[in-house]
Amino acid sequence: MPDPYERFIELALRPLAGKSPAEDLARGELMERLNHSRPGPGDDSLEAATARLEGPGGRLWNNGKQVFLLLLVFTVVLGAMSFASWRELVRMDYLYHLLPHEPDHLKAAERELEATVADDQRLFLFANSQMMGEKLREDWRKGYQASLPSDPALLEEYVVQYGFGDGPQRERILEQARRIDTGNGFWDLREAGVCIARSKFKYSNSKPPSGYGPAFPALQTDEAYDEAVALMAKAVSAPRFETRIPSNTARRLEMLGRATNLAEVADRLMFAEDQRGGGSYPNRWQNLWQARMEELARKQDREGLREWFETLERLVSRCLKESGDKRFYNPGGLVSLGASRISVDLLRRFDLNDEADRWAYWAGQIRKPSSNVSVTNAEEISRKASAFTRVSYYSSGAFVYEGELEPGRRAEHAMADRMLAISAAILFGVLAWLAGLEGWRRGQPVRGLAGGVGTLLGLSDFAWICGLGIVIPAAWHMAVAGISPLGCRDYRIDFEDMKPIALRAGGSFLFAACMLVQSARWRLAKRGGLLGLRPTLWQGWAIAVIAALFVPAMGAARYCPPKWQEEFINYGSAAAGLPLLWLLWRSFALILSPRRVALPGVIVCRALVPCFVSTGLVLMAAGYLLEREESEWVQRDTLAHFYPDGIGMPVATDRLVQALRSQMLHALETAPGATK
């Protein structure tokens, strides 16, 4: 054999020098490959291959210990980033409910919120919560059992949390309230609510068979009922009428600051929804009101009915105008459909027509549409609104306008892309470990020969692999998802249960994986053609093209009629099976291959380890950039925050409630015979 062949074999066997019989086995395989190979026209010559083996080559990625260290460091970094993302995802799942299990959203949010304030502020932060900060509140309760708070707002919150109690404790609390909050009728109203809950009174609001009007079975009352009636009448004539709990809620939200990402948006929404109300039990008022009207009607007490109506009218007016609780818009369900009809009919029965007309006017005004947004437009708004906006209001988009939706929607898309990028990085991390395992699990002859022949791949080859396997798929994904309408960026992220976004990301992952594997096989074929390392390549390129076309195909669902969109996505997703099956086929073909044909696959696996790691690092860097983009959009989103002087609920809900309050106030002020 000519000297050039001997020189090539000597260089290729350097990792096995002095390790017979492994060296002899590897030498025999090399000689057989050199004698029977048929290099292609573009493959390197023997001289070029020998020169590559004489250079520094790929010593780094052929060193098992260094590769293991690289994988270990990469895994630690990826694990830390994945854990942080998972913690955010658990909190954000409160908005989306996509996780297969039901995580404790409130507990996760509580941990994060605790860290945002100083230790001495945590008790105040959770003092009015229902579920959060339970241990802190229990310590607070024990401390105040001995000495009640001297701050009226804290006393209110203490009563809201733990009630008035019975006997001496109730008198003690009421005495403290009269001393530190003199003349505030809201305490009477709050005590009336407790009496209603304690009372066993019964009444009926059913209609008689003959027509409209209340039926009058035996009305049962008791001492607690009488006390509640007296307290409600006393409350409306008090010098002052206010609750400080809403202002405390606003202070707490101000302490937490503005949200900077969607996880913090979810935290603040959970916190706001976990706050207790004013403790006046307005949900119990309607029962007392109707029972009292029935009682007076049974007694044929026309004047008593008129006075009770005036009491209710003044109470509702004071709740709306003076209480300081902007969440009041229909206190006690005064103008609910059933209560209004029965009450109006009863008033007319006793010739209290002016009062009946006013009550009917209130009911008619409060039921008018609260917005000029049409139903069709509201549906379009709902389809394009962020999950936070949809969660935070219960009207069909009536107080959210299309121009306000983009920041929240873009923030959600950035968040979804970030989570999918981290997920893809995890998958590439798994592939890197599997490739590393396969690249070094074989016997010494194969490992040594792969270490020697693998140095044929130089930096230019890895540039080709990364360019084709990382740059092109990344550019393709950004073009489809970020620029093209097929990215569906003008729709909310859970369009069709988030399937188009997730499948598009899955297609990009398969595209990148196929291109990396295929590019590595191509470069090895070019450098090692003289050793017969030239497989058939066209099938792999065809599979990569299929994976690339799958990415925009999922976005095409937006152009399908709504009734076909789900079927298009479900059946179209089967196309992803082709690249997935090809990758599995290549993997099992390599794992199950015998020693004598394992060399090219082992070299490809070794070459892919740094490429997979590089892809994971690129995805983690993209995740960091997407996190910043999400933060920027969240801070620009007017709907993701709270009005400083609002009701302690998100902007969309705040607008809705304030519009309803304005309607009710207008109805009270403009009703026939209303006091100006």
Side-chain angles (χ1 to χ4, degrees):
M1 183 175 291
D3 288 341
Y5 285 90
E6 290 292 341
R7 177 61 178 163
F8 177 84
I9 292 174
E10 179 185 352
L11 292 171
L13 295 178
R14 278 182 298 184
L16 293 172
K19 297 179 181 178
S20 290
E23 183 180 6
D24 295 337
L25 288 173
R27 181 182 295 274
E29 181 176 344
L30 269 182
M31 293 177 64
E32 183 179 359
R33 286 182 174 277
L34 286 169
N35 288 329
H36 294 87
S37 65
R38 294 182 180 180
D43 296 346
D44 285 357
S45 63
L46 180 63
E47 291 75 13
T50 302
R52 284 184 168 274
L53 293 180
E54 289 174 339
R59 302 284 190 270
L60 176 62
W61 44 81
N62 278 304
N63 186 305
K65 293 181 179 179
Q66 292 176 335
V67 168
F68 175 76
L69 183 61
L70 171 67
L71 289 173
L72 192 61
V73 172
F74 171 74
T75 302
V76 170
V77 175
L78 178 59
M81 193 169 187
S82 301
F83 179 71
S85 299
W86 172 255
R87 289 183 60 175
E88 290 187 28
L89 185 60
V90 168
R91 292 143 61 200
M92 288 186 290
D93 189 59
Y94 178 74
L95 304 174
Y96 306 103
H97 301 286
L98 293 175
L99 295 179
H101 64 294
E102 280 294 330
D104 192 340
H105 303 115
L106 282 173
K107 184 61 67 175
E110 180 185 336
R111 286 194 299 267
E112 298 298 327
L113 293 174
E114 278 183 343
T116 62
V117 298
D119 292 347
D120 59 349
Q121 293 292 318
R122 289 178 182 174
L123 176 56
F124 174 74
L125 181 65
F126 296 119
N128 196 44
S129 298
Q130 301 178 60
M131 303 294 292
M132 294 183 179
E134 185 175 357
K135 186 177 183 305
L136 286 169
R137 291 198 311 277
E138 181 60 22
D139 295 339
W140 180 53
R141 182 184 69 83
K142 292 177 180 177
Y144 278 151
Q145 278 182 332
S147 177
L148 291 171
S150 57
D151 181 349
L154 291 179
L155 183 62
E156 279 192 71
E157 292 181 339
Y158 179 82
V159 171
V160 169
Q161 285 285 0
Y162 305 109
F164 282 96
D166 296 318
Q169 174 70 1
R170 178 187 178 192
E171 292 302 321
R172 181 166 162 258
I173 291 175
L174 289 174
E175 181 181 351
Q176 177 78 337
R178 296 186 193 102
R179 187 175 63 83
I180 65 175
D181 201 10
T182 307
N184 189 353
F186 216 83
W187 284 102
D188 299 311
L189 194 62
R190 186 176 286 111
E191 189 181 0
V194 175
C195 292
I196 296 170
R198 195 171 70 249
S199 173
K200 305 297 183 183
F201 72 88
K202 295 181 180 180
Y203 73 103
S204 172
N205 60 1
S206 60
K207 297 186 294 292
S210 58
Y212 292 105
F216 293 111
L219 183 70
Q220 300 179 18
T221 63
D222 55 20
E223 183 179 350
Y225 166 86
D226 294 334
E227 189 176 355
V229 170
L231 285 168
M232 193 163 284
K234 180 182 176 183
V236 301
S237 58
R240 292 189 302 109
F241 192 87
E242 62 179 328
T243 173
R244 297 173 178 83
I245 289 180
S247 61
N248 270 6
T249 300
R251 283 178 57 197
R252 293 182 176 105
L253 290 169
E254 186 179 0
M255 284 171 56
L256 296 176
R258 287 172 64 88
T260 59
N261 56 44
L262 287 174
E264 292 183 2
V265 167
D267 292 341
R268 283 148 180 78
L269 177 62
M270 284 185 274
F271 177 80
E273 293 182 346
D274 195 45
Q275 296 297 292
R276 293 183 184 272
S280 52
Y281 310 102
N283 56 310
R284 301 172 182 169
W285 297 353
Q286 187 182 115
N287 296 336
L288 178 69
W289 293 353
Q290 293 190 52
R292 179 62 173 165
M293 292 186 76
E294 287 187 12
E295 178 191 13
L296 294 170
R298 284 179 56 80
K299 295 178 179 179
Q300 300 294 308
D301 188 351
R302 182 178 182 279
E303 184 61 23
L305 269 175
R306 186 188 61 76
E307 291 177 357
W308 184 243
F309 172 84
E310 291 177 354
T311 297
L312 302 187
E313 185 176 26
R314 291 180 62 194
L315 177 63
V316 171
S317 178
R318 296 198 76 175
C319 284
L320 292 170
K321 296 178 180 180
E322 303 176 38
S323 69
D325 190 346
K326 296 182 180 179
R327 286 169 292 187
F328 277 132
Y329 63 90
N330 183 14
L334 174 71
V335 293
S336 62
L337 184 61
S340 299
R341 184 183 63 244
I342 293 170
S343 301
V344 168
D345 290 345
L346 190 149
L347 291 170
R348 293 198 189 283
R349 178 173 180 158
F350 285 86
D351 294 325
L352 295 171
N353 293 314
D354 291 344
E355 288 78 3
D357 290 342
R358 292 213 292 279
W359 202 317
Y361 181 80
W362 300 339
Q365 289 295 307
I366 199 67
R367 288 200 300 270
K368 284 186 176 180
S370 301
S371 171
N372 293 325
V373 178
S374 66
V375 174
T376 304
N377 204 16
E379 292 176 356
E380 183 70 13
I381 287 173
S382 179
R383 186 172 62 173
K384 295 184 177 183
S386 65
F388 173 81
T389 303
R390 296 194 308 281
V391 165
S392 67
Y393 71 95
Y394 56 84
S395 181
S396 300
F399 293 92
V400 179
Y401 301 95
E402 191 167 355
E404 299 176 295
L405 300 178
E406 184 181 8
R409 188 175 64 247
R410 294 288 291 270
E412 285 192 330
H413 277 282
M415 178 275 296
D417 289 344
R418 175 164 63 95
M419 294 300 171
L420 291 170
I422 298 301
S423 302
I426 293 173
L427 292 177
F428 277 112
V430 173
L431 292 179
W433 276 101
L434 293 176
L437 178 64
E438 182 60 28
W440 275 270
R441 77 173 179 87
R442 299 280 181 164
Q444 192 177 50
V446 177
R447 291 202 313 271
L449 192 55
V453 176
T455 57
L456 289 172
L457 297 176
L459 291 176
S460 61
D461 298 298
F462 281 90
W464 273 106
I465 296 172
C466 292
L468 294 175
I470 300 177
V471 176
I472 289 180
W476 178 245
H477 180 86
M478 287 189 290
V480 173
I483 301 174
S484 166
L486 297 174
C488 301
R489 297 277 167 165
D490 53 338
Y491 287 0
R492 63 182 190 241
I493 61 169
D494 56 348
F495 167 62
E496 286 298 326
D497 295 328
M498 207 177 173
K499 289 179 183 177
I501 293 177
L503 289 171
R504 184 180 66 221
S508 295
F509 165 77
L510 292 173
F511 181 33
C514 290
M515 289 295 288
L516 285 168
V517 172
Q518 188 64 9
S519 300
R521 296 175 71 221
W522 168 55
R523 296 314 295 174
L524 180 60
K526 179 172 178 57
R527 300 304 184 195
L530 76 163
L531 293 174
L533 307 179
R534 172 165 282 283
T536 304
L537 297 174
W538 69 267
Q539 300 101 321
W541 296 122
I543 291 295
V545 170
I546 292 174
L549 294 176
F550 179 79
V551 177
M554 287 299 96
R558 64 174 298 161
Y559 298 114
C560 296
K563 62 179 180 179
W564 294 347
Q565 286 176 349
E566 185 175 0
E567 291 185 1
F568 177 87
I569 292 170
N570 291 337
Y571 291 122
S573 62
L578 292 175
L580 180 60
L581 287 174
W582 182 81
L583 288 171
L584 292 173
W585 169 60
R586 294 302 317 163
S587 301
F588 283 109
L590 172 59
I591 293 170
L592 301 176
S593 62
R595 183 195 63 80
R596 61 185 179 84
V597 296
L599 179 62
V602 171
I603 295 175
V604 167
C605 283
R606 292 190 176 194
L608 285 173
V609 171
C611 297
F612 285 151
V613 170
S614 299
T615 309
L617 292 174
V618 169
L619 288 167
M620 285 192 285
Y624 171 74
L625 295 176
L626 288 166
E627 184 177 17
R628 295 190 62 179
E629 180 184 348
E630 174 194 343
S631 178
E632 290 175 1
W633 283 114
V634 165
Q635 293 179 68
R636 290 171 58 182
D637 185 10
T638 57
L639 302 175
H641 306 286
F642 300 82
Y643 285 135
D645 58 345
I647 63 173
M649 292 300 288
V651 167
T653 305
D654 200 309
R655 291 176 183 172
L656 173 63
V657 172
Q658 294 314 305
L660 292 171
R661 284 185 80 247
S662 298
Q663 279 186 318
M664 190 63 198
L665 280 168
H666 178 75
L668 288 171
E669 293 169 354
T670 60
T675 302
K676 302 298 182 181

Short mmCIF file of all heavy atoms in Angstrom, two decimals, residues 55-96:
data_model
loop_
_atom_site.label_atom_id
_atom_site.label_comp_id
_atom_site.label_asym_id
_atom_site.label_seq_id
_atom_site.Cartn_x
_atom_site.Cartn_y
_atom_site.Cartn_z
N GLY A 55 -3.96 18.47 11.22
CA GLY A 55 -4.28 19.73 11.88
C GLY A 55 -4.91 19.50 13.24
O GLY A 55 -5.08 18.37 13.71
N PRO A 56 -5.30 20.62 13.92
CA PRO A 56 -5.90 20.50 15.25
C PRO A 56 -7.25 19.79 15.23
O PRO A 56 -7.61 19.08 16.14
CB PRO A 56 -6.02 21.95 15.72
CG PRO A 56 -6.00 22.77 14.47
CD PRO A 56 -5.14 22.02 13.50
N GLY A 57 -8.02 20.00 14.13
CA GLY A 57 -9.29 19.30 13.95
C GLY A 57 -10.25 19.43 15.11
O GLY A 57 -10.26 20.42 15.82
N GLY A 58 -11.03 18.39 15.31
CA GLY A 58 -12.08 18.41 16.34
C GLY A 58 -11.66 17.71 17.61
O GLY A 58 -12.38 16.85 18.12
N ARG A 59 -10.49 18.05 18.12
CA ARG A 59 -10.01 17.40 19.34
C ARG A 59 -10.96 17.65 20.52
O ARG A 59 -11.19 16.79 21.35
CB ARG A 59 -8.62 17.91 19.71
CG ARG A 59 -7.57 17.71 18.63
CD ARG A 59 -7.11 16.25 18.56
NE ARG A 59 -5.94 16.14 17.69
CZ ARG A 59 -5.99 15.91 16.38
NH1 ARG A 59 -7.17 15.81 15.79
NH2 ARG A 59 -4.89 15.79 15.66
N LEU A 60 -11.51 18.88 20.59
CA LEU A 60 -12.33 19.23 21.74
C LEU A 60 -13.58 18.36 21.83
O LEU A 60 -13.87 17.77 22.87
CB LEU A 60 -12.72 20.71 21.68
CG LEU A 60 -13.66 21.20 22.78
CD1 LEU A 60 -13.00 21.04 24.14
CD2 LEU A 60 -14.06 22.65 22.54
N TRP A 61 -14.35 18.26 20.72
CA TRP A 61 -15.60 17.53 20.78
C TRP A 61 -15.41 16.03 20.64
O TRP A 61 -16.37 15.28 20.60
CB TRP A 61 -16.59 18.04 19.74
CG TRP A 61 -15.99 18.28 18.39
CD1 TRP A 61 -15.72 17.35 17.43
CD2 TRP A 61 -15.59 19.53 17.85
NE1 TRP A 61 -15.18 17.95 16.33
CE2 TRP A 61 -15.09 19.30 16.55
CE3 TRP A 61 -15.60 20.84 18.34
CZ2 TRP A 61 -14.59 20.32 15.74
CZ3 TRP A 61 -15.12 21.83 17.54
CH2 TRP A 61 -14.63 21.59 16.25
N ASN A 62 -14.18 15.56 20.52
CA ASN A 62 -13.92 14.12 20.54
C ASN A 62 -13.35 13.67 21.88
O ASN A 62 -13.01 12.50 22.03
CB ASN A 62 -12.94 13.74 19.42
CG ASN A 62 -13.66 13.59 18.09
OD1 ASN A 62 -14.60 12.81 17.97
ND2 ASN A 62 -13.23 14.35 17.09
N ASN A 63 -13.23 14.59 22.82
CA ASN A 63 -12.75 14.26 24.14
C ASN A 63 -13.95 14.00 25.04
O ASN A 63 -14.73 14.91 25.33
CB ASN A 63 -11.90 15.42 24.70
CG ASN A 63 -11.25 15.07 26.02
OD1 ASN A 63 -11.92 14.69 26.96
ND2 ASN A 63 -9.94 15.21 26.08
N GLY A 64 -14.12 12.75 25.47
CA GLY A 64 -15.30 12.36 26.23
C GLY A 64 -15.47 13.13 27.52
O GLY A 64 -16.58 13.54 27.88
N LYS A 65 -14.39 13.36 28.26
CA LYS A 65 -14.48 14.07 29.53
C LYS A 65 -14.91 15.52 29.33
O LYS A 65 -15.73 16.05 30.08
CB LYS A 65 -13.15 14.02 30.26
CG LYS A 65 -12.76 12.61 30.72
CD LYS A 65 -11.43 12.63 31.46
CE LYS A 65 -11.05 11.23 31.92
NZ LYS A 65 -9.75 11.20 32.63
N GLN A 66 -14.34 16.15 28.30
CA GLN A 66 -14.71 17.54 28.05
C GLN A 66 -16.15 17.66 27.57
O GLN A 66 -16.86 18.60 27.95
CB GLN A 66 -13.75 18.14 27.02
CG GLN A 66 -12.32 18.30 27.53
CD GLN A 66 -11.38 18.82 26.46
OE1 GLN A 66 -11.62 18.63 25.28
NE2 GLN A 66 -10.30 19.46 26.89
N VAL A 67 -16.59 16.70 26.77
CA VAL A 67 -17.98 16.71 26.31
C VAL A 67 -18.93 16.50 27.50
O VAL A 67 -19.96 17.15 27.62
CB VAL A 67 -18.20 15.63 25.23
CG1 VAL A 67 -19.69 15.43 24.96
CG2 VAL A 67 -17.49 16.02 23.95
N PHE A 68 -18.57 15.58 28.40
CA PHE A 68 -19.40 15.36 29.58
C PHE A 68 -19.48 16.62 30.44
O PHE A 68 -20.55 16.98 30.93
CB PHE A 68 -18.82 14.20 30.40
CG PHE A 68 -19.54 13.97 31.70
CD1 PHE A 68 -20.79 13.35 31.73
CD2 PHE A 68 -18.99 14.40 32.89
CE1 PHE A 68 -21.47 13.16 32.92
CE2 PHE A 68 -19.65 14.22 34.09
CZ PHE A 68 -20.90 13.59 34.11
N LEU A 69 -18.35 17.30 30.61
CA LEU A 69 -18.35 18.54 31.38
C LEU A 69 -19.22 19.60 30.71
O LEU A 69 -19.97 20.33 31.37
CB LEU A 69 -16.92 19.05 31.54
CG LEU A 69 -16.74 20.32 32.39
CD1 LEU A 69 -17.23 20.08 33.81
CD2 LEU A 69 -15.28 20.75 32.38
N LEU A 70 -19.12 19.68 29.37
CA LEU A 70 -19.95 20.63 28.62
C LEU A 70 -21.43 20.34 28.85
O LEU A 70 -22.23 21.25 29.12
CB LEU A 70 -19.61 20.55 27.13
CG LEU A 70 -20.54 21.32 26.18
CD1 LEU A 70 -20.41 22.82 26.40
CD2 LEU A 70 -20.23 20.96 24.73
N LEU A 71 -21.82 19.06 28.75
CA LEU A 71 -23.22 18.68 28.95
C LEU A 71 -23.67 18.97 30.37
O LEU A 71 -24.81 19.41 30.59
CB LEU A 71 -23.41 17.20 28.62
CG LEU A 71 -23.33 16.81 27.15
CD1 LEU A 71 -23.36 15.30 26.99
CD2 LEU A 71 -24.48 17.43 26.36
N LEU A 72 -22.79 18.75 31.33
CA LEU A 72 -23.15 18.98 32.72
C LEU A 72 -23.41 20.46 32.98
O LEU A 72 -24.42 20.84 33.60
CB LEU A 72 -22.04 18.47 33.62
CG LEU A 72 -22.36 18.36 35.11
CD1 LEU A 72 -23.52 17.39 35.33
CD2 LEU A 72 -21.14 17.92 35.90
N VAL A 73 -22.51 21.33 32.50
CA VAL A 73 -22.69 22.77 32.69
C VAL A 73 -23.96 23.25 31.97
O VAL A 73 -24.75 24.03 32.52
CB VAL A 73 -21.45 23.53 32.19
CG1 VAL A 73 -21.71 25.04 32.20
CG2 VAL A 73 -20.23 23.19 33.03
N PHE A 74 -24.14 22.77 30.75
CA PHE A 74 -25.33 23.14 29.99
C PHE A 74 -26.60 22.73 30.72
O PHE A 74 -27.58 23.49 30.80
CB PHE A 74 -25.28 22.50 28.61
CG PHE A 74 -26.55 22.65 27.81
CD1 PHE A 74 -26.89 23.85 27.24
CD2 PHE A 74 -27.41 21.56 27.64
CE1 PHE A 74 -28.07 23.99 26.50
CE2 PHE A 74 -28.58 21.68 26.91
CZ PHE A 74 -28.90 22.90 26.34
N THR A 75 -26.60 21.53 31.28
CA THR A 75 -27.78 21.03 31.99
C THR A 75 -28.08 21.86 33.22
O THR A 75 -29.25 22.15 33.53
CB THR A 75 -27.58 19.56 32.38
OG1 THR A 75 -27.32 18.79 31.20
CG2 THR A 75 -28.81 19.01 33.07
N VAL A 76 -27.04 22.26 33.96
CA VAL A 76 -27.25 23.08 35.16
C VAL A 76 -27.88 24.42 34.79
O VAL A 76 -28.85 24.88 35.41
CB VAL A 76 -25.93 23.28 35.91
CG1 VAL A 76 -26.08 24.31 37.02
CG2 VAL A 76 -25.45 21.96 36.50
N VAL A 77 -27.33 25.07 33.76
CA VAL A 77 -27.86 26.37 33.33
C VAL A 77 -29.30 26.22 32.83
O VAL A 77 -30.19 27.01 33.19
CB VAL A 77 -26.96 26.99 32.24
CG1 VAL A 77 -27.58 28.27 31.71
CG2 VAL A 77 -25.57 27.25 32.79
N LEU A 78 -29.51 25.20 32.01
CA LEU A 78 -30.86 24.96 31.48
C LEU A 78 -31.83 24.63 32.60
O LEU A 78 -32.99 25.09 32.60
CB LEU A 78 -30.82 23.84 30.45
CG LEU A 78 -32.16 23.42 29.83
CD1 LEU A 78 -32.82 24.59 29.13
CD2 LEU A 78 -31.96 22.25 28.87
N GLY A 79 -31.38 23.84 33.57
CA GLY A 79 -32.25 23.48 34.69
C GLY A 79 -32.67 24.69 35.49
O GLY A 79 -33.83 24.82 35.89
N ALA A 80 -31.72 25.61 35.75
CA ALA A 80 -32.05 26.81 36.52
C ALA A 80 -33.07 27.67 35.77
O ALA A 80 -34.04 28.17 36.35
CB ALA A 80 -30.78 27.61 36.80
N MET A 81 -32.85 27.82 34.46
CA MET A 81 -33.78 28.65 33.67
C MET A 81 -35.14 27.97 33.56
O MET A 81 -36.19 28.63 33.63
CB MET A 81 -33.18 28.88 32.29
CG MET A 81 -33.87 29.95 31.49
SD MET A 81 -32.92 30.39 30.01
CE MET A 81 -33.87 31.80 29.43
N SER A 82 -35.14 26.65 33.43
CA SER A 82 -36.41 25.92 33.32
C SER A 82 -37.19 25.99 34.61
O SER A 82 -38.43 26.14 34.60
CB SER A 82 -36.14 24.45 32.95
OG SER A 82 -35.43 24.36 31.73
N PHE A 83 -36.50 25.90 35.75
CA PHE A 83 -37.19 25.97 37.04
C PHE A 83 -37.84 27.33 37.24
O PHE A 83 -38.98 27.43 37.69
CB PHE A 83 -36.19 25.68 38.16
CG PHE A 83 -36.81 25.75 39.53
CD1 PHE A 83 -37.70 24.77 39.96
CD2 PHE A 83 -36.49 26.78 40.40
CE1 PHE A 83 -38.28 24.84 41.22
CE2 PHE A 83 -37.06 26.86 41.65
CZ PHE A 83 -37.95 25.88 42.07
N ALA A 84 -37.10 28.40 36.88
CA ALA A 84 -37.67 29.74 37.00
C ALA A 84 -38.88 29.90 36.09
O ALA A 84 -39.90 30.49 36.47
CB ALA A 84 -36.60 30.78 36.67
N SER A 85 -38.80 29.36 34.88
CA SER A 85 -39.93 29.45 33.95
C SER A 85 -41.11 28.64 34.44
O SER A 85 -42.26 29.05 34.28
CB SER A 85 -39.49 28.96 32.56
OG SER A 85 -38.44 29.75 32.05
N TRP A 86 -40.83 27.49 35.05
CA TRP A 86 -41.92 26.66 35.57
C TRP A 86 -42.66 27.38 36.69
O TRP A 86 -43.89 27.33 36.77
CB TRP A 86 -41.37 25.33 36.07
CG TRP A 86 -42.39 24.50 36.78
CD1 TRP A 86 -42.51 24.28 38.11
CD2 TRP A 86 -43.48 23.78 36.16
NE1 TRP A 86 -43.60 23.49 38.38
CE2 TRP A 86 -44.21 23.16 37.21
CE3 TRP A 86 -43.90 23.60 34.85
CZ2 TRP A 86 -45.33 22.38 36.96
CZ3 TRP A 86 -45.03 22.82 34.61
CH2 TRP A 86 -45.71 22.22 35.66
N ARG A 87 -41.93 28.05 37.56
CA ARG A 87 -42.57 28.79 38.65
C ARG A 87 -43.49 29.87 38.08
O ARG A 87 -44.58 30.11 38.62
CB ARG A 87 -41.52 29.41 39.56
CG ARG A 87 -40.77 28.41 40.41
CD ARG A 87 -39.79 29.07 41.35
NE ARG A 87 -40.45 29.98 42.27
CZ ARG A 87 -39.82 30.60 43.26
NH1 ARG A 87 -38.52 30.42 43.44
NH2 ARG A 87 -40.47 31.42 44.06
N GLU A 88 -43.06 30.52 37.03
CA GLU A 88 -43.92 31.53 36.40
C GLU A 88 -45.13 30.87 35.75
O GLU A 88 -46.25 31.39 35.84
CB GLU A 88 -43.13 32.32 35.36
CG GLU A 88 -42.07 33.23 35.94
CD GLU A 88 -41.44 34.11 34.87
OE1 GLU A 88 -42.13 34.40 33.88
OE2 GLU A 88 -40.27 34.49 35.02
N LEU A 89 -44.90 29.72 35.10
CA LEU A 89 -45.99 29.06 34.39
C LEU A 89 -47.08 28.61 35.35
O LEU A 89 -48.27 28.70 35.03
CB LEU A 89 -45.44 27.86 33.60
CG LEU A 89 -46.44 27.12 32.71
CD1 LEU A 89 -47.01 28.06 31.66
CD2 LEU A 89 -45.77 25.92 32.05
N VAL A 90 -46.69 28.13 36.53
CA VAL A 90 -47.68 27.70 37.52
C VAL A 90 -48.58 28.87 37.90
O VAL A 90 -49.81 28.71 38.03
CB VAL A 90 -46.97 27.12 38.76
CG1 VAL A 90 -47.96 26.94 39.91
CG2 VAL A 90 -46.33 25.78 38.42
N ARG A 91 -47.99 30.04 38.07
CA ARG A 91 -48.80 31.21 38.44
C ARG A 91 -49.65 31.68 37.26
O ARG A 91 -50.83 32.04 37.43
CB ARG A 91 -47.90 32.33 38.92
CG ARG A 91 -47.22 32.02 40.25
CD ARG A 91 -45.82 32.56 40.33
NE ARG A 91 -45.77 34.00 40.19
CZ ARG A 91 -44.69 34.68 39.84
NH1 ARG A 91 -43.56 34.04 39.56
NH2 ARG A 91 -44.72 35.98 39.74
N MET A 92 -49.08 31.69 36.06
CA MET A 92 -49.84 32.14 34.90
C MET A 92 -50.95 31.18 34.52
O MET A 92 -51.92 31.56 33.86
CB MET A 92 -48.90 32.34 33.71
CG MET A 92 -48.01 33.56 33.82
SD MET A 92 -47.05 33.86 32.33
CE MET A 92 -45.91 32.50 32.36
N ASP A 93 -50.83 29.92 34.94
CA ASP A 93 -51.86 28.95 34.60
C ASP A 93 -53.21 29.32 35.20
O ASP A 93 -54.25 28.82 34.77
CB ASP A 93 -51.44 27.55 35.07
CG ASP A 93 -52.36 26.47 34.57
OD1 ASP A 93 -52.50 26.34 33.34
OD2 ASP A 93 -52.98 25.78 35.40
N TYR A 94 -53.21 30.21 36.19
CA TYR A 94 -54.47 30.73 36.74
C TYR A 94 -55.30 31.40 35.64
O TYR A 94 -56.53 31.40 35.70
CB TYR A 94 -54.15 31.73 37.85
CG TYR A 94 -55.36 32.38 38.46
CD1 TYR A 94 -56.20 31.67 39.32
CD2 TYR A 94 -55.68 33.70 38.18
CE1 TYR A 94 -57.31 32.27 39.89
CE2 TYR A 94 -56.79 34.30 38.75
CZ TYR A 94 -57.60 33.58 39.60
OH TYR A 94 -58.70 34.18 40.15
N LEU A 95 -54.62 31.96 34.63
CA LEU A 95 -55.32 32.63 33.54
C LEU A 95 -55.72 31.68 32.42
O LEU A 95 -56.69 31.94 31.72
CB LEU A 95 -54.43 33.74 32.95
CG LEU A 95 -53.92 34.81 33.91
CD1 LEU A 95 -52.95 35.73 33.18
CD2 LEU A 95 -55.07 35.60 34.49
N TYR A 96 -54.96 30.58 32.26
CA TYR A 96 -55.13 29.75 31.07
C TYR A 96 -55.65 28.35 31.36
O TYR A 96 -56.30 27.74 30.52
CB TYR A 96 -53.80 29.64 30.31
CG TYR A 96 -53.19 30.97 29.99
CD1 TYR A 96 -52.12 31.48 30.72
CD2 TYR A 96 -53.70 31.75 28.96
CE1 TYR A 96 -51.57 32.71 30.44
CE2 TYR A 96 -53.16 32.99 28.66
CZ TYR A 96 -52.10 33.46 29.41
OH TYR A 96 -51.56 34.69 29.14
#
